[in-house]
Amino acid sequence: MDHCTARSQVNFDQCLAEVRAGKWGSNGGTDNNGQPVSDISTATAITYSLCVKACGPGPEAFSWTVFSQQFCTWLLPWLSLLSQLPFGAGNRLDNLVSVFIAVGSPTLAAYSLALTVLNNRWVAHRFAAHSYPNRRNIVYVLKCLQQVPFRVTVGDGLLASLIVLPENDDWWTKFANQVHSTQAASISATISLAWAMLAYTFTLIDAFGNNFLDSVEASGGSIGTLWLWLLPIIIGWLHVTPKCESKGLINALNASNQIAHIQTMDRGAVHASTESGTRAISFDREYGNEVSACTTNNYTQTFSWAQNVDIIWDAFKEAAARAYQHKPVNPLETWAGADRGLILPANRRGNLVQVISYCGREPEKRGRWGTGVWPRCLGASVAALFLQWGTTGAAMIFAWFTPTRGLGCRCGGYLLYGAVSTFAWLMFLASSVFAHYSTHPIRDGKNYRKTLLPRMTRRISAIFYWLGISMATANAILIVVFSVFGLGSKAFDVLVFLSDDIVILRSARIGGIILAAGTTLLFIVFVYVSTDPSPEVALGPGLGDQNLALLNVFSM
């Protein structure tokens, strides 16, 4: 039973018969609502203390057949589904930690997915307002870089050269092609999803089948409902198809930076490697927990990523606006080509000063957090909490209305799981806020990170991060093997189920299924509706948006 332990191989029918016969006294009998009855012979439930006294304090006999059947039916399909999460850290330990984080804090897993989707939509819509070569590849590269810390260097014309020079078309194309995710709904992912959904369906059929009374004490429906959050997370990441392998991102950036060009004053465009080791876009290695390219860590990059998008967007916008006005990079030249929609390479050449000027002046002061980042964080938070507590709440309904009704060990365990998941998410979110604050001043300063305030905030960030790791890990272990606890001396155990109990339980299970299925479906709809339907990356060498149009004109 849920709220009562019993001696090995106890016969509850015999135990109740002995209680009703008065063998264990006239006190301790209750009805199914826990109210004492005056006549012990009419009792349908007994108090916890009488249960221990009459039936024994020991556990029920362990049955491997029952355990293995229930484990394979209720839990194993969900555990196997974890392998379909797009983990992609550089080592196995980080991947293992990411598994514990996802299981221990579904709120964080859902938050990272929702935030990634909203960020993708935001950056695509932002760049869609202007047209300039490589726009699609720039958007795609920025989407992929959500998972890793990177820095943008504006000085010495590095960023302006990367955006303006036609020689750098190959840089954007090569990067986009190398990180272009080929992940899709593979056979293994499809089978795993189908297995989990089929197992859950069979569990529900069993819960409402002819053996309804035999399944009253079973927790398969509540366990399957509790793990239902995993379905929209897997489906969502398969739809978003992130490029999450850290080695792949690093290799793609290193390979692209080898062909990067930079404009000089008198030697034209030359390979950037001949001038310095600095590149316009490079990985930032100063971030501790932010270097892991796992999807559960997307939340760590939100603020710095939005700032970097702002920097690239400002330069891109200025170049696009000048091109729209038929202003070439070199003001002494005339615009080549009559079609306003075509930007020929001749219009994108000039000396270093002209290239830098073409992308506008870098503002002296930028916001600390990036454009529109807090509304997106709020939207992702609402979606994540909706999924977490929709599935957890549905599981609690299953357990709450299973006699003995109330906040028992199983229902309380689900509540604890949801609460710890939410608090762990808050710890991780606070960690990312303090980490960004400590490393991104409003005004650039070489000694900023050495002052007291950023050092304190970075230590606070580390504390919150490790608290989140600890809570998520403990919660992951808890939900898989959490132990049963009782309600104390006021607890009672139902031994006979009345017709009213069956009606209430059926209604509660139907309500729980509707809540869980509705929550899951709405989250999936949110992911699909919020996903930007932007076109694929340009797969030809050095083909930007306008260059593709020019190619189509010449091929007619």
Side-chain angles (χ1 to χ4, degrees):
M1 289 299 194
D2 192 28
H3 304 312
C4 181
T5 57
R7 64 172 178 262
S8 300
Q9 299 180 342
V10 64
N11 187 323
F12 282 101
D13 292 334
Q14 180 181 353
C15 183
L16 180 60
E18 293 177 353
V19 170
R20 283 176 166 176
K23 180 178 179 180
W24 302 100
S26 59
N27 297 323
T30 69
D31 59 20
N32 283 7
N33 294 318
Q35 300 299 321
V37 295
S38 57
D39 186 359
I40 192 67
S41 63
T42 62
T44 56
I46 56 177
T47 62
Y48 178 79
S49 58
L50 181 57
C51 177
V52 173
K53 179 181 178 181
C55 304
E60 290 183 289
F62 176 77
S63 174
W64 173 257
T65 302
V66 175
F67 169 78
S68 60
Q69 180 182 5
Q70 294 178 348
F71 179 81
C72 293
T73 303
W74 299 344
L75 191 57
L76 188 59
W78 301 106
L79 294 180
S80 65
L81 200 58
L82 291 173
S83 63
Q84 301 304 325
L85 286 172
F87 302 115
N91 57 75
R92 295 176 180 176
L93 180 60
D94 284 343
N95 282 331
L96 180 61
V97 171
S98 296
V99 172
F100 280 108
I101 291 177
V103 176
S105 183
T107 311
L108 182 65
Y111 175 76
S112 291
L113 173 59
L115 191 58
T116 300
V117 170
L118 294 177
N119 284 341
N120 286 350
R121 185 176 185 85
W122 170 73
V123 70
H125 283 194
R126 197 173 196 196
F127 277 83
H130 294 275
S131 181
Y132 201 71
N134 303 304
R135 179 183 62 183
R136 290 185 295 172
N137 286 342
I138 291 174
V139 170
Y140 186 80
V141 168
L142 290 176
K143 288 180 179 181
C144 293
L145 288 176
Q146 288 187 72
Q147 300 167 226
V148 292
F150 71 101
R151 67 170 71 239
V152 177
T153 302
V154 179
D156 299 325
L158 287 170
L159 179 60
S161 297
L162 189 63
I163 292 177
V164 173
L165 296 182
E167 288 81 3
N168 282 324
D169 289 349
D170 289 338
W171 189 99
W172 292 106
T173 302
K174 186 171 185 177
F175 197 126
N177 287 341
Q178 288 202 3
V179 302
H180 183 56
S181 176
T182 58
Q183 180 184 3
S186 63
I187 295 178
S188 61
T190 303
I191 292 177
S192 296
L193 286 168
W195 183 21
M197 289 187 287
L198 189 62
Y200 182 62
T201 302
F202 284 166
T203 300
L204 296 181
I205 293 175
D206 181 67
F208 289 96
N210 294 329
N211 58 339
F212 184 80
L213 287 177
D214 295 334
S215 67
V216 166
E217 302 174 31
S219 56
S222 60
I223 290 177
T225 304
L226 184 71
W227 283 82
L228 204 58
W229 61 267
L230 196 53
L231 284 180
I233 298 298
I234 299 294
I235 294 173
W237 281 123
L238 288 175
H239 179 64
V240 176
T241 59
K243 182 66 178 181
C244 63
E245 295 181 359
S246 58
K247 292 182 179 180
L249 287 171
I250 293 173
N251 292 337
L253 185 56
N254 290 338
S256 299
N257 280 336
Q258 290 178 1
I259 63 173
H261 286 73
I262 186 173
Q263 183 65 44
T264 61
M265 284 299 299
D266 52 5
R267 292 182 291 122
V270 300
H271 282 284
S273 57
T274 63
E275 299 297 308
S276 70
T278 306
R279 298 293 183 270
I281 297 179
S282 59
F283 286 110
D284 193 341
R285 297 292 184 180
E286 301 183 18
Y287 275 86
N289 65 294
E290 297 187 19
V291 299
S292 176
C294 295
T295 55
T296 50
N297 281 352
N298 277 14
Y299 72 96
T300 63
Q301 299 304 311
T302 301
F303 306 110
S304 59
W305 178 83
Q307 281 190 322
N308 288 328
V309 170
D310 285 342
I311 295 173
I312 296 174
W313 156 248
D314 287 341
F316 180 89
K317 177 186 64 175
E318 292 294 331
R322 286 172 169 79
Y324 182 78
Q325 297 172 0
H326 277 192
K327 294 181 179 179
V329 174
N330 187 346
L332 301 179
E333 300 289 340
T334 57
W335 184 262
D339 191 340
R340 186 179 296 272
L342 299 179
I343 304 176
L344 300 178
N347 298 316
R348 300 165 62 191
R349 301 189 188 278
N351 60 39
L352 179 59
V353 173
Q354 293 167 347
V355 169
I356 294 176
S357 177
Y358 202 73
C359 289
R361 177 181 297 181
E362 174 70 8
E364 297 181 358
K365 184 178 180 180
R366 288 188 179 274
R368 186 186 295 276
W369 306 106
T371 302
V373 65
W374 288 111
R376 294 195 300 276
C377 288
L378 178 61
S381 300
V382 172
L385 292 172
F386 176 76
L387 179 62
Q388 171 71 77
W389 288 103
T391 54
T392 302
M396 290 178 62
I397 291 175
F398 268 76
W400 181 282
F401 288 96
T402 299
T404 305
R405 290 191 294 271
L407 187 63
C409 55
R410 189 173 297 136
C411 183
Y414 297 158
L415 176 61
L416 180 63
Y417 175 68
V420 175
S421 170
T422 303
F423 279 111
W425 162 69
L426 290 174
M427 294 297 102
F428 285 118
L429 186 59
S431 173
S432 66
V433 172
F434 281 104
H436 179 78
Y437 187 91
S438 66
T439 54
H440 292 80
I442 295 179
R443 293 184 176 86
D444 293 333
K446 295 182 178 180
N447 297 322
Y448 173 80
R449 299 183 184 184
K450 297 181 181 179
T451 59
L452 179 60
L453 182 59
R455 283 188 295 172
M456 289 180 58
T457 54
R458 191 157 185 82
R459 290 177 181 175
I460 295 174
S461 171
I463 293 174
F464 279 129
Y465 175 73
W466 287 109
L467 281 175
I469 287 286
S470 301
M471 295 175 68
T473 301
N475 205 32
I477 297 174
L478 171 71
I479 199 55
V480 177
V481 296
F482 79 94
S483 59
V484 176
F485 59 89
L487 294 176
S489 61
K490 293 184 179 180
F492 67 101
D493 184 64
V494 174
L495 298 180
V496 177
F497 300 105
L498 305 179
S499 58
D500 291 343
D501 298 323
I502 303 302
V503 172
I504 294 175
L505 182 56
R506 282 184 181 273
S507 301
R509 287 185 173 182
I510 293 174
I513 293 172
I514 294 175
L515 175 60
T519 299
T520 302
L521 181 61
L522 287 177
F523 190 88
I524 294 175
V525 170
F526 162 77
V527 171
Y528 273 76
V529 170
S530 301
T531 301
D532 177 71
S534 57
E536 294 293 335
V537 298
L539 299 180
L543 296 179
D545 294 340
Q546 289 75 22
N547 303 79
L548 285 173
L550 181 62
L551 182 62
N552 292 333
V553 171
F554 288 157
S555 63
M556 293 177 60

